Amino acid sequence: MATTPTLEIASQPHPAPTPDADRVAAIADPGFGQTFTDHMVTIDYDEGKGWHSAQLCARAPLALDPAASVLHYAQEIFEGMKAYKMEDGAMALFRPDRNAQRFNESARRLAMPELPEDLFIEAIRQSVLADRDWFPTVDGGSLYIRPFMIATEPFLGVRPARQYKFITFLTAVGGYFKAGAPAVSIWVSNDYTRAAPGGTGAAKCGGNYAASLVPLGEGMAKGHDQVVFLDAVERKWIEELGGMNLFYVFDDGSMITPPLSGTILPGITRDSLITLAREEGLDVREERYSIDQWEADATSGRLMETFACGTAAVVTPVGHVAGEGIGFDIGSGGPGQLTTNLREKLVAIQRGKAEDRHGWVMRLD
Ligand SMILES: *Cc1c(COP(=O)(O)O)cnc(C)c1O
C-alpha cells in the first residue's frame, strides 16, 4: 500500500476455522453467493467520533437492535468486487479504487458517512489474505467480495442515522449463471421501473434491488433469466438489467451503451469495456437506445450482438428478449464474436495474462 490506512485493523483470527476437508469440499463446487469463508472485517461509526473499532474477526451473525434504522428505512449500501488469482499464483483486485469511490458516492446519496478509500481497500486486502485458502478450485472461480454499510442506530424518527457499521466478507464463487448456457434470455418489464430521475438508480443500494424483485420473479416464472428495465418517464429507453449494464453491437462494428444519466448504475465493468473497445478502434457511443429500435435492429440484422456486464457475471451474451407483445432473438442466439473477444481481453488483464496498461490490477501479495 502506498499510504498507511487511517485506522489500524485489529486482527482476531477465527478460533476454530472450518476444517480443511470441509473447506476443500466446499470450494470444489461453490456455486454463487452461498459458500462463505471464515472471516470478516467490521468497522463502526459514531457521529462525533468517526470510524473506529476496526477488526478482522470470525464471520458470525450480527446483533442488531430491532429499531436499527436499516431495518426500517433501508439506509444500506454495498459493493461487489472479486479477488482473482494471477498466473503466478498471486492474489489481485481489479480497480478497487473505483469501488471505494463508488461506495462513497452511494454513501452520499443515502445520507451515510463516507469511508476513507484507503481504509476500504485495506479492509478488503486483509479479509482476502486471511481467507486466501478459500480460493475456489473450479475453473473461472474467484473470491467474491461483499463490502456493505448499514445504519445501526436504534431510532424510529426519520432522519439520517448517527451510527453505522461497515462490514466486508467473502464468498467463494464459480459462475453466476448456470454452466453451459450459451446466452441469457431476458424479460422486458412493462409494469415496473427500477429507477426514476432524482431517485437512487445511480447508487448501489439494497433498496433498488428490493424494488426489482417482483418484475424479476415475473420474468423467471416465464422462464427468463433476468429482467430489463425501461426508463421511468417515457417507458421507451432501455436502461439496464437488475444488476448489469447493457451493450449493443452493430454490423458496422460500432457499439452503443446507455449514458450515465443518473438512473443507471455506473458499472466498473462497463467503464473498463468502453476503454478496451475504444483502444481496439471501435466506435463506442454512450447513447439512448429504445426498445422498439432494439427489436427492429435485431430483426433486420443490423444488430449483431447484445451483452450484459458486471463483476458477478463478467460479460454475458443476451440471446433472447421477451415481453408483452415483444419476442425476438439476437444474432445466432449464442455469444457473438465481439462479446467473446471483449470478455477474453478483460479476463486476461484480470488474471495477469495480458499487459495491464491502465494500472487496473492491484496485487495483494
Ligand atoms: C453492481 C451493478 C452493476 C455492475 O457494476 P460493476 O461495477 O460492473 O460490477 C450494474 N448495474 C447495477 C444495478 C448494479 O448494482
Side-chain angles (χ1 to χ4, degrees):
M1 297 287 299
T3 54
T4 317
T6 38
L7 192 64
E8 195 70 35
I9 300 175
S11 182
Q12 287 161 352
H14 201 305
T18 308
D20 285 352
D22 294 353
R23 190 189 68 246
V24 167
I27 63 179
D29 183 20
F32 192 94
Q34 56 198 26
T35 303
F36 302 109
T37 70
D38 285 325
H39 295 91
M40 63 181 183
V41 169
T42 70
I43 313 176
D44 293 326
Y45 178 93
D46 284 83
E47 199 171 283
K49 192 171 172 189
W51 292 101
H52 64 90
S53 309
Q55 55 169 354
L56 171 81
C57 55
R59 186 181 181 281
L62 306 176
L64 273 187
D65 192 286
S69 317
V70 65
L71 302 176
H72 305 273
Y73 310 130
Q75 257 191 304
E76 188 269 356
I77 58 168
F78 67 96
E79 272 300 324
M81 329 166 42
K82 280 176 175 170
Y84 301 94
K85 207 168 242 184
M86 308 294 274
E87 282 265 89
D88 60 8
M91 304 280 276
L93 303 175
F94 184 72
R95 308 186 75 181
D97 52 319
R98 294 297 298 256
N99 293 94
Q101 284 165 16
R102 188 171 67 188
F103 192 67
N104 284 336
E105 284 160 20
S106 299
R108 287 196 289 275
R109 181 63 185 85
L110 276 283
M112 301 170 89
E114 293 180 38
L115 185 70
E117 284 175 29
D118 55 355
L119 186 54
F120 177 95
I121 293 173
E122 180 63 11
I124 285 160
R125 192 180 77 88
Q126 291 202 20
S127 76
V128 170
L129 293 179
D131 284 333
R132 57 177 311 150
D133 290 347
W134 282 87
F135 201 92
T137 44
V138 285
D139 199 31
S142 56
L143 288 173
Y144 183 83
I145 306 162
R146 175 47 60 88
F148 69 105
M149 193 203 313
I150 53 174
T152 51
E153 186 192 2
F155 179 69
L156 291 184
V158 178
R159 58 150 171 76
R162 293 174 182 158
Q163 287 172 346
Y164 297 87
K165 198 182 259 301
F166 167 84
I167 302 179
T168 186
F169 67 88
L170 305 171
T171 79
V173 301
Y176 188 83
F177 292 109
K178 46 187 182 295
V184 294
S185 172
I186 62 181
W187 172 250
V188 184
S189 181
N190 199 41
D191 300 334
Y192 302 98
T193 57
R194 177 187 165 273
T200 56
K204 211 167 173 73
C205 62
N208 291 340
Y209 279 73
S212 77
L213 299 179
V214 164
L216 178 63
E218 208 175 75
M220 284 178 156
K222 291 183 157 67
H224 307 287
D225 304 291
Q226 284 283 309
V227 61
V228 63
F229 292 99
L230 302 179
D231 78 285
V233 178
E234 296 178 69
R235 303 284 186 108
K236 173 178 172 185
W237 306 105
I238 310 157
E239 301 225 302
E240 62 171 317
L241 306 188
M244 281 188 274
N245 298 117
L246 282 170
F247 281 81
Y248 308 91
V249 182
F250 299 95
D251 59 0
D252 61 358
S254 69
M255 287 168 51
I256 285 182
T257 190
L260 298 177
S261 56
T263 54
I264 72 172
L265 202 283
I268 296 162
T269 316
R270 174 189 179 279
D271 184 76
S272 307
L273 291 173
I274 291 176
T275 303
L276 293 178
R278 284 185 178 153
E279 278 172 7
E280 297 252 299
L282 296 176
D283 169 25
V284 186
R285 300 187 304 277
E286 295 182 67
E287 226 171 76
R288 297 200 297 181
Y289 192 57
S290 74
I291 180 73
D292 293 343
Q293 196 66 46
W294 194 12
E295 178 152 29
D297 290 343
T299 308
S300 75
R302 179 175 171 253
L303 178 82
M304 305 291 284
E305 306 172 32
T306 299
F307 64 85
C309 68
T311 298
V314 199
V315 170
T316 304
V318 175
H320 184 73
V321 183
E324 275 159 45
I326 302 171
F328 58 94
D329 291 320
I330 295 164
S332 58
Q337 206 182 325
L338 202 134
T339 301
T340 307
N341 171 34
L342 279 176
R343 183 194 164 95
E344 281 170 4
K345 283 239 147 51
L346 180 66
V347 170
I349 296 171
Q350 290 170 334
R351 314 269 163 158
K353 293 179 188 168
E355 195 194 342
D356 173 25
R357 301 222 302 272
H358 301 278
W360 284 345
V361 173
M362 180 190 189
R363 285 173 172 263
L364 295 180
D365 53 4

